[in-house]
Each structure stands twice: as structure tokens, then as C-alpha cells.
Amino acid sequence: MKRTLITLALLALPLLPGCRRVSFEDSMLSKRDVDYRIGELPQHWHRVYLKDNDLAFSETGTGRALSINSTCEGHDDPPLPVLTRHLVMGFTDREEQSQKLINLDGREALRSRYLARLDGVPVELEMVVLKKDGCVFDFTYVAPPGQAEERMADFDGLLAGFHSERNG
């Protein structure tokens, strides 16, 4: 009887407010504060699990990776350029190549391209930061220098399919 009560209590936990787990299915991520959809990626991208990222994908053997993250609490509402600087903090020899405002999910977002080094290895970065409904979203595409353009359409497709809705 005691085991049955414990099992029932564990089954009920996901139903409690604020106890929602992160799930990703059919290009839709759901977590406690926000649900969002991304554009579908081609099959050569494989999901990987990285701490502190909602979603991450890599292309086996190429050095290319995509990551998406959302933060809906504790970000103090900084401007888009400050959010971008936070994204490149772990990189050295950062060289901004371009930066422009774009429209993403009905809001202004900042898209930036950098050449940089990660642990001494040269990389090309394409990043987008967006603030919407109290949440900050960041999208990052990393590739070896000179190899980003080959899969840039995949990153653009991921962005084109993005739509978020705040929970609660």
C-alpha cells in the first residue's frame, strides 16, 4: 500500500504548477515558463545534450553545432548588444564581422557574426538574441572558419520557424 501511494504521488508531480519538465517533440520545446517552436532541421543534425542549453544539435564530424536557450527569470532586461556580449564571453580573439537588427517572431532581434577562438581553436559564430514577453532567447551557430555558409540555410530555417508563447 505504501509503495502504491508513493507511485501515485510521483505520477501526480508533473501535474503540479511549477513542476513542469522540459520536453521537445515535433520541433516544440516546452518548459516551465515558456513553450517555443523552432524550424525543422534536416536529418544531418543530431540532438545532443549540453548543460545550460534548452536545445543543441551537432553535425557529426564537421565541427558545426547549433544551440538554443531561453531564460525567463533573473536576466534584468539588458539591451540586445549586452546580451550578445554575454554570449561571446567564453571566446577569445573575438572579431565582429557584422551586426544587424532583424525581425524574429514579431519582435526586433539582433543578429551578429564573429570570428573567434574557443580553447584556442578558430571558429565562426552566427548568433541571434531576442527579448519577448519577459524572456530572452539566444540562438547560436558555430562552425569552423569558412564552413559556416554551407549550413547557414539550416540556421535560417530554424529561426524562420521560431515562435514562442509565455506560460503563466
Side-chain angles (χ1 to χ4, degrees), residues 42-156:
Q43 289 185 350
H44 52 259
W45 291 101
H46 304 282
R47 186 165 180 208
V48 293
Y49 296 88
L50 297 176
K51 186 180 178 204
D52 300 327
N53 284 276
D54 292 346
L55 294 169
F57 302 89
S58 71
E59 188 183 42
T60 306
T62 65
R64 293 185 189 102
L66 299 166
S67 65
I68 304 102
N69 195 45
S70 62
T71 305
C72 297
E73 295 176 359
H75 54 75
D76 299 327
D77 197 30
L80 296 174
V82 170
L83 293 169
T84 300
R85 284 194 296 276
H86 281 273
L87 286 179
V88 296
M89 281 179 126
F91 295 88
T92 58
D93 299 330
R94 298 179 297 266
E95 185 181 315
E96 184 181 304
Q97 300 294 299
S98 65
Q99 199 166 65
K100 64 181 177 180
L101 292 173
I102 63 169
N103 186 312
L104 182 60
D105 198 20
R107 299 289 171 91
E108 192 172 78
L110 185 62
R111 185 169 182 153
S112 306
R113 181 173 291 185
Y114 282 82
L115 293 177
R117 290 184 180 274
L118 179 61
D119 298 330
V121 177
V123 294
E124 192 169 337
L125 300 165
E126 187 83 12
M127 299 171 295
V128 174
V129 292
L130 165 75
K131 296 190 301 184
K132 182 178 179 194
D133 300 332
C135 296
V136 172
F137 299 89
D138 58 77
F139 308 82
T140 305
Y141 170 40
V142 179
Q147 297 181 28
E149 283 303 320
E150 188 175 334
R151 296 287 188 234
M152 194 62 71
D154 297 348
F155 185 62
D156 291 338

Side-chain angles (χ1 to χ4, degrees), residues 25-38:
E25 189 174 326
D26 297 326
S27 299
M28 175 69 84
L29 183 123
S30 296
K31 66 182 201 177
R32 193 183 97 201
D33 294 327
V34 68
D35 294 334
Y36 62 86
R37 177 172 303 284
I38 60 170

